[in-house]
Amino acid sequence: MFGNKTKKKIQKEVENLFHEIQINLENNYKDLAISARKQAEIRLEEMRKNHELSEKEYQKWKKTLDEYTEKMIGYHH
């Protein structure tokens, strides 16, 4: 389906999305964390729809996203 370089590029992109959420949470940048979480959610869905992530990979990242979402329950934009 996708070459090894493309797969690594996709993996790196997802890791960067989640790294941005984590950095913003650590620095208490609530609005930026909310925005980064939303971007990650949208991009994960795009990758799933375009078959850039396997269902197993998607579920792994979705679980991580859900954990961030739970941490951010009291945050308001």
Side-chain angles (χ1 to χ4, degrees):
M1 181 178 357
F2 291 100
N4 198 27
K5 286 187 178 189
T6 303
K7 196 70 167 164
K8 287 181 182 179
K9 183 179 175 186
I10 290 168
Q11 182 71 19
K12 187 69 173 168
E13 180 182 352
V14 174
E15 289 171 1
N16 287 339
L17 289 168
F18 283 88
H19 180 73
E20 185 175 346
I21 297 169
Q22 184 63 39
I23 292 297
N24 288 321
L25 287 173
E26 288 173 3
N27 290 312
N28 204 29
Y29 299 148
K30 293 178 180 179
D31 288 345
L32 292 175
I34 291 168
S35 177
R37 192 203 60 78
K38 186 65 178 168
Q39 286 179 300
E41 180 180 36
I42 290 168
R43 186 62 182 123
L44 276 180
E45 288 300 325
E46 288 174 355
M47 289 176 166
R48 181 184 197 190
K49 187 169 41 171
N50 295 332
H51 305 288
E52 295 171 309
L53 291 175
S54 69
E55 187 61 28
K56 183 178 177 180
E57 291 169 321
Y58 171 79
Q59 291 301 327
K60 175 189 143 198
W61 288 113
K62 179 72 169 109
K63 181 180 179 212
T64 303
L65 185 64
D66 291 344
E67 290 169 2
Y68 278 118
T69 301
E70 193 161 313
K71 287 181 187 178
M72 297 167 62
I73 282 179
Y75 293 11
H76 300 287
H77 198 71

